[in-house]
Amino acid sequence: MKDYRGTALFVGALASSGDGLITALRTFEALGVRGLGAATTVLASGRDGAIRHELPAECVAAQIQEITAGAVGSVMVGTVDRENIVEPLAAALREIPNAKLVLDPFRMLQSGVPDSDKSTLEVVKGGLLPLATVAVFNSPEASLVSGLPIETEDALQEAARCIADMGPVSVLVTGGRLDGQTVTDVLWHAGQAKVWHGPRLDSPRPVGLGDILSAAVAAELAAGSSIENAVDAALAFVRAQLGGDVSEVK
């Protein structure tokens, strides 16, 4: 039997494309952490187009309660795309003793989100964000959550600080979508910013790169790493997936 470093739970979509739950479980395993999963939505590509089945909120909560009857060191919550699941999900998460929560709840592009999704954004900000040990956003997502434009490193830091004021212990904002040949990632933790710089890599992006990063953070937290060390190791893991060296830390 494999000797795992810890146990992590992923809560989110099960997609035939490999995003979400599948990517998270593969990442947990690669980092030596036992992975568990609770599906919120099942996504598949059928002959007539995409097929989507949303599991009832009580089913999601029941999965979490059953899985976490044993010890779980961390929980990663992936994309939250409907308002009615937030309260039951938050209630189930609050019942997990001592687990670190990595929240990666949005998948948004530079153009923003439809009006129909803005209420979900606000409910997530109020119901899940304050529970997070580490909240993870790319720059467009962080801009939407904070209400601030993000085009520079200073703006990344200010958005991370602003989101931290909403309740999470720490906020990681990635800068890969900004222009330039240097990629900057910012962690706001304990009232200050830690910044990573690395060269932009042209390697093909693996499926679910954002999921890989958040799952790697969750895996390292489950293994007992501090928040800063968990983020550092997770960023290094992602860069390794892209064929690059570890980022320089400032």
Side-chain angles (χ1 to χ4, degrees):
M1 180 178 292
K2 184 170 180 177
D3 186 16
Y4 287 109
R5 300 165 61 211
T7 300
L9 165 66
F10 173 84
V11 180
L14 171 60
S16 60
S17 65
D19 284 356
L21 193 152
I22 294 172
T23 293
L25 292 181
R26 286 174 175 167
T27 302
F28 295 157
E29 184 70 21
L31 290 169
V33 169
R34 178 173 178 248
L36 305 170
T40 60
T41 305
V42 179
L43 305 171
S45 298
R47 293 181 179 178
D48 298 324
I51 300 172
R52 173 190 180 89
H53 177 67
E54 296 177 348
L55 297 179
E58 57 270 22
C59 177
V60 177
Q63 290 178 78
I64 295 171
Q65 289 162 1
E66 180 176 1
I67 290 169
T68 57
V72 173
S74 70
V75 180
M76 173 191 165
V77 173
T79 305
V80 178
D81 53 10
R82 49 192 162 116
E83 188 175 339
N84 67 351
I85 201 172
V86 172
E87 184 176 343
L89 180 55
L93 293 172
R94 283 193 291 266
E95 294 299 316
I96 305 174
N98 304 318
K100 306 292 194 302
L101 172 62
V102 177
L103 184 63
D104 185 3
F106 302 123
R107 183 164 295 177
M108 304 170 184
L109 301 178
Q110 202 73 288
S111 58
V113 292
D115 288 342
S116 60
D117 292 339
K118 289 181 179 177
S119 60
T120 300
L121 186 154
E122 293 303 318
V123 172
V124 169
K125 285 167 61 175
L128 290 176
L129 196 53
L131 303 180
T133 305
V134 182
V136 183
F137 304 101
N138 61 35
S139 54
E141 295 164 350
S143 181
L144 285 164
V145 174
S146 67
L148 301 172
I150 300 177
E151 297 180 357
T152 65
E153 180 180 316
D154 286 346
L156 285 171
Q157 293 190 40
E158 180 59 22
R161 183 203 62 76
C162 178
I163 297 171
D165 287 343
M166 300 177 188
V169 175
S170 305
V171 178
L172 174 63
V173 180
T174 60
R177 293 181 183 239
L178 299 182
D179 294 333
Q181 292 306 305
T182 298
V183 174
T184 300
D185 303 308
V186 173
L187 174 71
W188 188 269
H189 175 69
Q192 60 184 5
K194 183 173 184 178
V195 182
W196 288 260
H197 296 293
R200 186 174 299 280
L201 301 173
D202 295 327
S203 304
R205 292 164 59 97
V207 172
L209 189 61
D211 288 337
I212 293 173
L213 173 61
S214 296
V217 174
E220 293 297 331
L221 290 175
S225 295
S226 68
I227 291 172
E228 289 191 12
N229 287 345
V231 171
D232 188 58
L235 289 169
F237 180 77
V238 169
R239 293 195 69 79
Q241 303 306 297
L242 293 171
D245 296 327
V246 178
S247 303
E248 175 188 354
V249 182
K250 183 176 78 176

